[in-house]
């Protein structure tokens, strides 16, 4: 493994161990997300056609809103002292950014994997169970979201009110992801092509990868 | 090792350091003494290449601060602040292994240096379940793994027992004997003990 990927793996391992021990996603974020997912069916009642229609979009929106909490929680332990120590390891800021992004993505995948079956139960969306397509869509969506959240968390480090500011940055930029993923899922239900919507989400993912790599170092330097 | 020429640092538009000139050579240990708010921590972070001068010129270990040249020399600098640089959820050993892996050092050095600092028995205890003294010592073990050319200490002896102070003295002596340089800042000269060869006062962002 090269130095770059070794650093990436080191960061991912730290983030996953830290989150496992904090247990905040499992005990705080996930239960609230499940409650939020249940609110619409409870409010609407047994209107199956409506629930079927709004199910996929509600799922993506809830992954987006609660996913932001996951990304922000990850960076709360990175105090100025810790960030200084990391910089003085001489490791590559891009590798650390990629590592944080991958760990955020991995946590989001786990989070979405629990929410998705719940959405199928609560909303009974008119979507044929084509798991490879579903898994692919969820992955494409959370890869983009993980990058967006990591970037927003980095931009707002040390800024007062970052818990408000970060979602304000992420939400508008995540619109193409939410629209693309929702429309793709709906197309699956109609038996139509998902190519154009999948391409949209993939293009956003790639744009975010390039942006993250380009801005990782300047962002880190500017955050001190 | 350190060459600062007329360096000014502004934070939020306010000058924190003004016209700083400082030269520190190989094997030298310098103490900077000043009251709270004098700019000591900012000066240390400048010397650590973590912040760039607003005006003036700063060269650390031959690299111009504020340029990408510092990437190559950062792993040769160690900064020990008031707060230990440890992740609370990781054990002391995991913390050190993590930083060793990122700096390219042998991860086994983490545990070895925890033993040397008297923390071998608590190496597998989470950092947030250790006393502040233990965390400070673990921070010193972190410095020992990097074997720095430039060691920067902020209030080095504050809040530490005699054994931990002895560890600091050992780290300073090792750095100097290896041809490195040491800068220690403190709010009182007495706290520097025998750590430094010369002491320079710092007041309102100006070196005296």
């Amino acid at each position: 493994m090269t130095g770059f990927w070794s650093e990436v793996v080191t960061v991912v391992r730290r983030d996953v161990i830290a989150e496992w021990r904090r247990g905040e996603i499992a005990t705080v974020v996930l239960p609230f997300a499940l409650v939020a997912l249940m609110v619409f069916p409870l409010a609407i009642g047994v209107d199956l056609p409506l629930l079927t229609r709004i199910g996929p979009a509600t799922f993506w929106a809830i992954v987006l809103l609660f996913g932001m909490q996951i990304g922000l929680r990850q960076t709360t332990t990175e105090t100025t002292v810790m960030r200084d120590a990391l910089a003085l390891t001489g490791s590559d800021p891009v590798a650390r950014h990629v590592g944080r992004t991958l760990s955020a993505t991995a946590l989001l995948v786990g989070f979405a994997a629990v929410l998705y079956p719940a959405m199928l139960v609560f909303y009974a969306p008119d979507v044929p169970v084509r798991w490879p397509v579903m898994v692919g869509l969820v992955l494409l969506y959370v890869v983009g979201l993980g990058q967006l959240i990591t970037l927003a968390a980095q931009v707002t480090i040390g800024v007062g009110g970052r818990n408000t500011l970060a979602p304000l940055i992420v939400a508008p930029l995540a619109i193409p992801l939410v629209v693309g993923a929702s429309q793709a899922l709906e197309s699956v239900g109609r038996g139509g092509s998902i190519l154009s919507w999948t391409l949209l989400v993939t293009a956003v993912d790639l744009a975010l990868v390039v942006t993250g790599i380009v801005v990782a170092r300047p962002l880190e330097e500017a955050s001190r | 090792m350190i060459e600062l020429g007329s360096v000014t640092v502004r934070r939020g538009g306010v000058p924190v350091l003004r016209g700083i000139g400082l030269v520190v050579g190989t094997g030298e240990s310098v103490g900077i003494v000043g009251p709270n708010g004098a700019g000591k921590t900012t000066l240390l972070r400048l010397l650590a290449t973590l912040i760039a001068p607003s005006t003036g010129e700063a060269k650390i270990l031959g690299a111009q601060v504020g340029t990408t040249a510092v990437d190559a020399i950062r792993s040769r600098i160690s900064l020990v602040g008031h707060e230990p640089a440890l992740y609370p959820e990781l054990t002391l050993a995991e913390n050190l292994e993590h930083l060793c892996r990122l700096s390219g050092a042998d991860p086994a050095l983490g545990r070895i240096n925890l033993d040397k600092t008297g923390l071998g028995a608590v190496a597998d205890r989470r950092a947030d379940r250790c006393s502040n003294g233990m965390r400070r010592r673990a921070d010193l073990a972190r410095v020992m793994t990097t074997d720095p050319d430039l060691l920067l200490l902020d209030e080095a002896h504050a809040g530490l027992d005699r054994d931990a102070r002895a560890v600091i003295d050992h780290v300073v002596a090792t750095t100097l004997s290896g041809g490195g340089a040491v800068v220690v800042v403190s709010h009182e000269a007495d706290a520097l003990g025998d750590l430094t060869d010369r002491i320079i006062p710092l007041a309102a962002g100006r070196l005296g």
Side-chain angles (χ1 to χ4, degrees):
Chain A
M1 200 157 26
T2 65
F4 179 88
W5 289 107
S6 160
E7 289 169 12
V8 169
V9 169
T10 301
V11 172
V12 172
R13 184 196 296 146
R14 175 207 66 202
D15 281 352
V16 172
I17 292 174
E19 178 48 45
W20 177 259
R21 294 192 184 147
R22 273 198 304 268
E24 286 179 349
I25 294 177
T27 60
V28 181
V29 183
L30 192 58
F32 275 102
L34 284 168
V35 169
L37 203 59
M38 284 166 62
V39 163
F40 290 100
L42 287 173
I44 291 167
V46 195
D47 185 347
L48 272 181
L50 182 57
L51 286 177
T52 297
R53 271 182 51 211
I54 66 168
T58 308
F59 167 74
W60 299 121
I62 285 176
V63 173
L64 165 68
L65 295 174
F66 286 87
M68 278 190 272
Q69 294 306 312
I70 293 172
L72 288 177
R73 274 165 201 274
Q74 264 189 298
T75 49
T76 49
T77 51
E78 284 207 348
T79 57
T80 305
V81 171
M82 205 61 238
R83 291 200 306 277
D84 287 354
L86 289 172
L88 292 179
T89 59
S91 54
D92 188 341
V94 177
R96 296 201 297 278
H97 168 78
V98 171
R100 276 193 295 265
T101 304
L102 284 178
S103 59
T105 304
L107 294 171
L108 283 170
V109 166
F111 179 68
V114 176
L115 282 186
Y116 193 81
M119 186 269 286
L120 292 179
V121 171
F122 296 141
Y123 293 82
D126 191 15
V127 177
V129 181
R130 285 163 58 187
W131 286 107
V133 176
M134 302 302 157
V135 171
L137 271 178
V138 169
L139 277 177
L140 277 178
Y141 179 74
V142 296
V143 163
L145 195 56
Q147 293 179 87
L148 204 45
I149 290 169
T150 308
L151 277 171
Q154 189 70 24
V155 167
T156 56
I157 272 179
V159 177
R162 72 187 295 247
N163 285 332
T164 309
L165 186 59
L168 287 176
I169 295 171
V170 172
L173 294 174
I175 287 173
L177 289 173
V178 176
V179 170
S182 303
Q183 292 299 321
L185 208 55
E186 221 175 286
S187 294
V188 173
R190 288 197 311 265
S193 167
I194 61 167
L195 184 66
S196 56
W197 297 113
T198 309
L199 281 177
L200 171 67
V201 178
T202 308
V204 174
D205 286 0
L206 289 175
L208 287 168
V209 168
V210 173
T211 307
I213 289 170
V214 171
V215 304
R217 189 183 187 283
L219 258 185
E220 190 176 287
E221 293 297 316
S223 69
R224 295 198 187 96
Chain B
M1 288 264 160
I2 297 173
E3 293 167 57
L4 303 185
S6 306
V7 167
T8 298
V9 174
R10 290 190 188 83
R11 307 292 279 168
V14 180
V16 182
L17 298 176
R18 306 155 196 252
I20 299 280
L22 178 69
V23 176
V24 179
T26 302
E28 240 192 304
S29 177
V30 175
I32 309 282
V33 177
N36 292 337
K40 300 188 296 292
T41 303
T42 304
L43 177 58
L44 272 196
R45 296 189 78 224
L46 170 76
L47 297 178
T49 73
L50 295 167
I51 52 174
S54 307
T55 59
E57 200 166 285
K59 251 188 179 179
I60 307 295
L61 301 175
Q64 196 83 35
V65 181
T67 69
T68 53
V70 296
D71 290 351
I73 55 110
R74 276 184 172 161
S75 63
R76 294 163 58 199
I77 303 171
S78 259
L79 171 65
V80 182
H82 305 272
E83 236 183 276
L86 301 169
Y87 287 99
E89 302 87 357
L90 301 191
T91 66
L92 298 181
E94 285 169 344
N95 265 293
L96 266 62
E97 280 165 21
H98 174 70
L99 292 169
C100 281
R101 282 180 204 280
L102 287 179
S103 60
D106 179 2
L109 277 176
R111 222 170 254 279
I112 291 168
N113 287 323
L114 284 171
D115 277 335
K116 282 185 187 168
T117 52
L119 291 171
V122 292
D124 294 315
R125 190 184 291 182
R126 275 174 61 157
D128 59 359
R129 292 174 188 165
C130 291
S131 71
N132 192 43
M134 286 175 183
R135 287 199 295 266
R136 294 282 303 274
R137 268 197 215 195
D139 213 26
L140 295 173
R142 168 181 68 84
V143 173
M144 289 162 77
T145 62
T146 59
D147 192 15
D149 290 331
L150 177 58
L151 176 62
L152 306 167
L153 302 166
D154 196 349
E155 305 286 358
H157 282 165
L160 291 177
D161 60 22
R162 198 163 43 155
D163 290 347
R165 287 205 296 268
V167 173
I168 288 193
D169 296 348
H170 169 73
V171 173
V172 168
T174 308
T175 305
L176 293 175
S177 65
V182 177
V183 176
V184 192
V185 302
S186 178
H187 61 277
E188 49 188 39
D190 293 348
L192 295 177
D194 298 328
L195 287 175
T196 56
D197 309 323
R198 60 182 165 123
I199 293 177
I200 306 169
L202 176 71
R206 291 183 199 279
L207 280 179

